[in-house]
Amino acid sequence: MQDVEYSMVWCILLCTCTAATGDSKRKKKGSEKKRETSSRAQNPNPRTPLAAAMADGGGEGVSPSAALKDQGNAQFKSGNYLRAAALYTQAIKLDPDNATLYSNRAAAFLQLVKLSKALADAETTVKLKPQWEKGHFRKGCVLEAMERYEEAISAFEIALQLNPQNAEVSRKIKRLSQLAKEKKRALDVESMRSNVNIGKNLESLKTELAAKYGDVEMGQSIFSFVANVIESAIKVWHDTGKVDPRVNFLLDDQKTNTEKYPPVVNADKAFESPQTHSEFFTFLRQYAADSFSKAACMVAPKSTISYPQVWKGQGSRKWKLDQSDGFFVQFESPALRKIWFVPSTKEKGRTLCRSPETLDIGIHEVLPRIFKEAA
């Protein structure tokens, strides 16, 4: 009886140990499987692009660089331009004289707006394969993106020579030719706006002043005064699209009390009506005498003049500027009187003053004579 009980106990213990050992092995195996799964999730493709290319390009006739190029092309088509550029770079390391690889990388850099790098690759493409139309086309596309239109046209023209049937290149040349003209005109407009030199347009005035005054120094002083007034008005007009109506006086350095008589008189309301006009020029005559002024130069925008509208009525017969916007400049001195109109236009979205147009002072005067006429 004791033997039977002992046997039963031994069997129970043996079964318990065996079960425990099995559970331990299963847990260990499950843990290892989890680690393997986790490792795969963190690194699903542990192969480097080069290793992948070696494996994928293992077929007969396919080189590792060609396999990398194919991978790059696939990334490019998917819009992954940075990845494509990296793959082309690895291919270039294996095949540094392959023009196609540089061309493809230039296209990727162009999409990434890395234009300097794109241009360098395009130029390398042309150097490696000068008779290849696509290299010149690629260079033209990069130069177009850089807005270097003249150079882009040159590159496209070479591409067209190599393939005269390429309609896309022909269209690009036509479009860029127009853009180049527009860009050049925009640059010309900016140059004219920033380099105002009115003196060259007033050479006849310099000659007349010298003849009237018989004094070179006095004539040059008055000429510089007029030129500076007009140039300043043009610069302000370019910046703001308007100028304030005013009269500038050339004062006598020795006689004028500048605290009482400043060199500029505002004319804001001078041209509102015949009455304000009359009152203003009467005031100016007295001001010129009391301040010992040598000359005066009025600037008045056409849009501010309600009276006298000298471009209408009798003056319209000799008015050749149509409805042009701009401003009048009237020069007054005891020996000489002149009037000009400075037309203004819009070009490339920018305000541009044209050269002053000489008018007939007898017909188009905005103000009557301010100084007593020299004997």
Side-chain angles (χ1 to χ4, degrees):
M1 187 69 175
Q2 287 181 345
D3 291 342
V4 173
E5 290 175 352
Y6 179 80
S7 298
M8 291 177 65
V9 171
W10 175 253
C11 287
I12 292 169
L13 289 172
L14 184 60
C15 290
T16 302
C17 290
T18 302
T21 302
D23 289 343
S24 177
K25 288 182 178 179
R26 282 193 295 271
K27 287 180 180 179
K28 184 177 180 181
K29 189 173 181 180
S31 177
E32 289 175 351
K33 189 172 183 180
K34 285 181 179 179
R35 283 198 296 272
E36 183 179 345
T37 302
S38 175
S39 177
R40 281 199 300 270
Q42 293 176 4
N43 187 15
N45 185 14
R47 295 186 303 174
T48 65
L50 181 57
M54 294 289 288
D56 296 339
E60 186 178 352
V62 180
S63 67
S65 63
L68 284 166
K69 184 194 75 170
D70 291 342
Q71 291 180 37
N73 291 347
Q75 294 293 330
F76 187 95
K77 290 176 182 177
S78 299
N80 300 322
Y81 304 117
L82 189 60
R83 182 64 177 155
L87 288 163
Y88 294 139
T89 298
Q90 292 198 44
I92 286 170
K93 289 178 181 178
L94 298 175
D95 191 1
D97 295 326
N98 189 321
T100 301
L101 295 175
Y102 288 99
S103 176
N104 288 5
R105 191 170 67 172
F109 282 144
L110 179 58
Q111 292 296 329
L112 293 167
V113 200
K114 295 184 177 183
L115 301 182
S116 295
K117 290 184 176 182
L119 182 59
D121 275 355
E123 288 177 338
T124 301
T125 303
V126 170
K127 184 178 179 181
L128 289 171
K129 202 172 180 180
Q131 298 304 310
W132 189 34
E133 167 209 351
K134 194 169 185 178
H136 297 282
F137 177 81
R138 189 76 72 208
K139 182 178 178 180
C141 289
V142 177
L143 290 167
E144 178 185 0
M146 299 173 87
E147 296 187 5
R148 292 162 58 174
Y149 298 132
E150 295 289 350
E151 294 173 78
I153 290 169
S154 297
F156 286 132
E157 284 176 342
I158 295 173
L160 192 62
Q161 289 174 7
L162 295 169
N163 182 8
Q165 306 305 317
N166 194 323
E168 182 182 3
V169 174
S170 297
R171 286 194 297 270
K172 276 187 171 292
I173 291 173
K174 185 177 180 180
R175 187 173 66 85
L176 289 184
S177 296
Q178 183 61 35
L179 287 176
K181 288 180 183 178
E182 292 176 2
K183 184 178 180 179
K184 184 179 183 303
R185 183 55 189 163
L187 291 173
D188 289 344
V189 168
E190 287 304 314
S191 177
M192 287 186 283
R193 280 170 51 86
S194 59
N195 299 304
V196 177
N197 181 7
I198 207 68
K200 63 182 181 181
N201 294 295
L202 300 178
E203 287 299 322
S204 60
L205 175 65
K206 185 185 290 187
T207 303
E208 288 183 79
L209 287 169
K212 289 287 184 181
Y213 283 92
D215 182 336
V216 175
E217 186 175 345
M218 174 64 78
Q220 182 60 47
S221 174
I222 294 175
F223 175 80
S224 296
F225 163 69
V226 176
N228 288 337
V229 168
I230 299 176
E231 283 185 8
S232 297
I234 288 174
K235 289 176 181 178
V236 172
W237 188 277
H238 282 164
D239 290 340
T240 65
K242 63 180 182 179
V243 290
D244 294 328
R246 56 178 57 189
V247 180
N248 300 267
F249 285 91
L250 180 60
L251 305 175
D252 189 309
D253 294 337
Q254 303 299 321
K255 298 179 181 179
T256 304
N257 180 353
T258 54
E259 291 185 1
K260 185 176 181 181
Y261 298 102
V264 177
V265 173
N266 289 328
D268 294 340
K269 304 196 181 287
F271 308 108
E272 290 183 349
S273 68
Q275 182 178 348
T276 58
H277 183 258
S278 176
E279 291 172 354
F280 185 66
F281 76 73
T282 299
F283 166 77
L284 289 178
R285 285 173 176 171
Q286 191 63 47
Y287 192 93
D290 294 346
S291 64
F292 301 101
S293 295
K294 300 176 183 178
C297 196
M298 176 214 73
V299 175
K302 182 183 176 187
S303 61
T304 66
I305 300 176
S306 296
Y307 179 87
Q309 293 188 341
V310 297
W311 56 94
K312 295 182 178 180
Q314 181 185 359
S316 65
R317 292 198 297 272
K318 289 192 175 183
W319 184 261
K320 300 177 181 178
L321 299 165
D322 300 322
Q323 300 300 315
S324 298
D325 192 15
F327 56 91
F328 289 90
V329 177
Q330 184 170 324
F331 166 67
E332 292 284 319
S333 73
L336 187 65
R337 302 177 72 217
K338 288 283 186 180
I339 187 167
W340 302 271
F341 184 75
V342 181
S344 172
T345 58
K346 284 278 188 181
E347 284 210 35
K348 306 301 176 186
R350 306 286 277 167
T351 300
L352 178 64
C353 288
R354 301 292 183 177
S355 298
E357 295 282 346
T358 304
L359 303 177
D360 186 336
I361 190 73
I363 297 175
H364 297 120
E365 67 173 14
V366 176
L367 289 170
R369 179 182 290 278
I370 294 176
F371 295 90
K372 289 183 179 180
E373 189 171 2

